[in-house]
């Protein structure tokens, strides 16, 4: 049976580099894995008053799907030396109820992408800290930071083969984490 992965992009932009990386990855995964990229466009701003049994439908659906998935692939752009607010907001929703959320013990592969040469290393740190706080199982490996990403995306796909090969190595590590 194929491993089921959920992909979350921290960008809402129509031609987002982060989403293009996930789309390419979905096309190139091994046959024993499948990736469903989920949009965060309809996630309301986190408000603890709205949470619980009557959480917004988009939140409840994403929580249910993340809980059912074998693992997550999460990528964020870097905005002002940090992860995107869109992604942080979604992770805040997914992290509830605290210590018993759908993120607890969930294997997660994180990536960042930036037009700068640094590839979002500062956002990567925030992203990983957030997953540590949610008791997720981060895939521990060399960080996947995609620098100069604008030069590596053509027509909505990642075309830089060395970068794609490095990401696919990370996905194999995620597959191993999902099976243990």
């Amino acid at each position: 049976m194929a491993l089921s992965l959920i992909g979350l992009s921290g960008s809402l932009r129509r031609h987002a580099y982060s989403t293009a990386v996930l789309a390419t990855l979905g096309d190139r995964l091994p046959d024993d894995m499948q990736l469903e990229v989920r949009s965060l466009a309809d996630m309301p701003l986190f408000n603890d008053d709205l949470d619980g049994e009557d959480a917004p439908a988009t939140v409840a659906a994403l929580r249910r799907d993340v809980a059912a998935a074998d693992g997550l692939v999460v990528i964020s752009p870097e905005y002002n030396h940090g992860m995107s607010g869109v992604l942080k907001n979604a992770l805040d929703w997914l992290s509830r109820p605290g210590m018993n959320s759908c993120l607890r013990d969930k294997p997660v592969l994180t990536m960042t992408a930036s037009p700068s040469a640094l590839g979002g290393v500062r956002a990567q740190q925030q992203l990983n800290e957030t997953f540590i706080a949610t008791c997720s199982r981060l895939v521990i490996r060399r960080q996947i930071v995609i620098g100069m990403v604008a030069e590596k995306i053509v027509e909505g796909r990642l075309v830089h083969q060395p970068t794609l090969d490095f990401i696919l190595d990370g996905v194999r590590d995620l597959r191993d984490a999902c099976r243990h």
Side-chain angles (χ1 to χ4, degrees), residues 7-179:
L8 299 177
S9 169
S11 181
L12 301 179
R13 194 168 58 86
R14 187 172 352 129
H15 300 293
Y17 303 129
S18 297
T19 307
V21 170
L22 289 176
T24 305
L25 187 57
D27 294 343
R28 298 289 303 275
L29 282 178
D31 290 340
D32 64 343
M33 304 175 88
Q34 54 187 304
L35 177 70
E36 178 188 353
V37 178
R38 295 293 300 269
S39 173
L40 302 177
D42 294 330
M43 295 291 287
L45 291 175
F46 179 75
N47 180 342
D48 205 25
D49 290 339
L50 301 178
D51 201 10
E53 291 183 23
D54 296 324
T58 54
V59 170
L62 186 58
R63 282 178 175 162
R64 182 180 54 249
D65 293 347
V66 166
D70 295 304
L72 298 177
V73 179
V74 180
I75 183 168
S76 181
E78 183 171 282
Y79 297 143
N80 300 313
H81 294 193
M83 78 167 107
S84 74
V86 168
L87 185 55
K88 177 65 166 83
N89 180 62
L91 296 177
D92 287 343
W93 277 114
L94 292 172
S95 71
R96 304 298 191 268
M99 305 326 262
N100 290 312
S101 77
C102 61
L103 294 176
R104 184 175 184 84
D105 295 322
K106 186 66 61 179
V108 180
L109 178 67
T110 61
M111 301 183 284
T112 53
S114 173
S116 81
L118 296 177
V121 293
R122 295 164 292 220
Q124 177 89 205
Q125 179 65 27
Q126 285 185 346
L127 194 54
N128 290 340
E129 285 293 323
T130 299
F131 281 112
I132 289 168
T134 63
C135 298
S136 301
R137 284 194 297 136
L138 277 171
V139 173
I140 305 301
R141 63 177 326 278
R142 290 179 19 214
Q143 292 182 332
I144 300 173
V145 291
I146 307 167
M148 311 299 284
V149 70
E151 299 171 11
K152 297 174 182 174
I153 303 290
V154 175
E155 297 180 5
R157 291 296 187 263
L158 176 64
V159 296
H160 189 253
Q161 194 61 47
T163 300
L164 184 55
D165 291 343
F166 187 66
I167 293 169
L168 289 169
D169 284 344
V171 168
R172 283 187 281 281
D173 293 343
L174 175 60
R175 178 178 50 204
D176 293 345
C178 290
R179 291 184 173 158

